[in-house]
Amino acid sequence: MVGCFLLTAGLFFGAEAAASDTPHTAEFANYGEAWKAAKADKRPMLVVLNTGDEKKDVDVHGLRDNEKLSKVLDEYVVAQIDTTTEHGQKVLKSFGSPTLPRLVVIDNKQSKQVFATSAKVSESNLKNLLEKQLNSKEATTSLNLDMFGNPKPDCPNCRLKAMGLLK
């Protein structure tokens, strides 16, 4: 269990899975690059963990067809992760290997996971959820370790600290 959290910096900051080729500059296929961009811009992050099966996956590009939802998504840095890749498998493990597809919202300080679900979410519910998180004044928490010192899967800082990416 500890081994899956002791990943190298190259895992999340590797060049092979950089920003996606979409016109939206805040969309990434690499978790680490998305995290760095969200941290620099002080923006919340939407992480979409997909199965690699188009019929089951959450299509972020398709969500952009909804004009109102697209405007809300523009306020987020989006990491759309294909969990069938080597990078995606490591990201999935760092999130505790949840049921897929999975939506995760991380606060604008990249220190707290504020929402996560593997349930199917309608576009209108997703829009409302993302808007609510944008307007939330909820304080962030510090590092969240279990009794053995392992990072809990709901703590973004814990994942990055365990990988040596945060001090």
Side-chain angles (χ1 to χ4, degrees):
M1 183 77 182
V2 173
C4 73
F5 290 105
L6 298 175
L7 304 173
T8 64
L11 159 65
F12 288 131
F13 294 97
E16 74 279 353
S20 69
D21 57 0
T22 67
H24 300 280
T25 58
E27 290 185 14
F28 298 84
N30 179 285
Y31 179 84
E33 292 296 321
W35 186 89
K36 282 176 28 181
K39 184 83 169 172
D41 292 346
K42 295 183 173 101
R43 294 168 64 188
M45 195 165 135
L46 173 64
V47 181
V48 180
L49 299 172
N50 276 324
T51 65
D53 181 347
E54 289 181 23
K55 293 177 186 175
K56 294 179 182 177
D57 287 350
V58 174
D59 178 17
V60 173
H61 302 208
L63 293 175
R64 290 202 174 271
D65 291 340
N66 178 320
E67 188 176 324
K68 291 178 181 177
L69 180 53
S70 186
K71 280 185 168 188
V72 176
L73 284 170
D74 286 343
E75 300 297 321
Y76 283 77
V77 171
V78 179
Q80 186 168 321
I81 308 299
D82 177 356
T83 61
T84 64
T85 67
E86 182 180 343
H87 172 77
Q89 282 294 304
K90 291 175 182 175
V91 173
L92 179 65
K93 285 180 186 175
S94 78
F95 274 88
S97 300
T99 303
L100 299 175
R102 181 84 165 172
L103 296 175
V104 179
V105 178
I106 298 173
D107 73 346
N108 63 354
K109 294 179 183 177
Q110 280 59 66
S111 60
K112 184 177 181 183
Q113 182 174 303
V114 293
F115 176 81
T117 187
S118 292
K120 188 164 180 75
V121 178
S122 71
E123 288 182 11
S124 64
N125 285 343
L126 180 59
K127 179 188 147 305
N128 292 338
L129 166 80
L130 295 176
E131 283 176 336
K132 177 182 175 188
Q133 295 308 320
L134 280 175
N135 298 323
S136 175
K137 301 296 184 206
E138 184 176 318
T140 60
T141 61
S142 59
L143 292 178
N144 190 7
L145 304 177
D146 69 12
M147 62 190 262
F148 302 108
N150 299 318
K152 292 185 177 179
D154 63 344
C155 179
N157 275 347
C158 297
R159 285 192 293 275
L160 293 167
K161 185 168 179 135
M163 290 181 280
L165 301 176
L166 283 180
K167 296 188 184 212

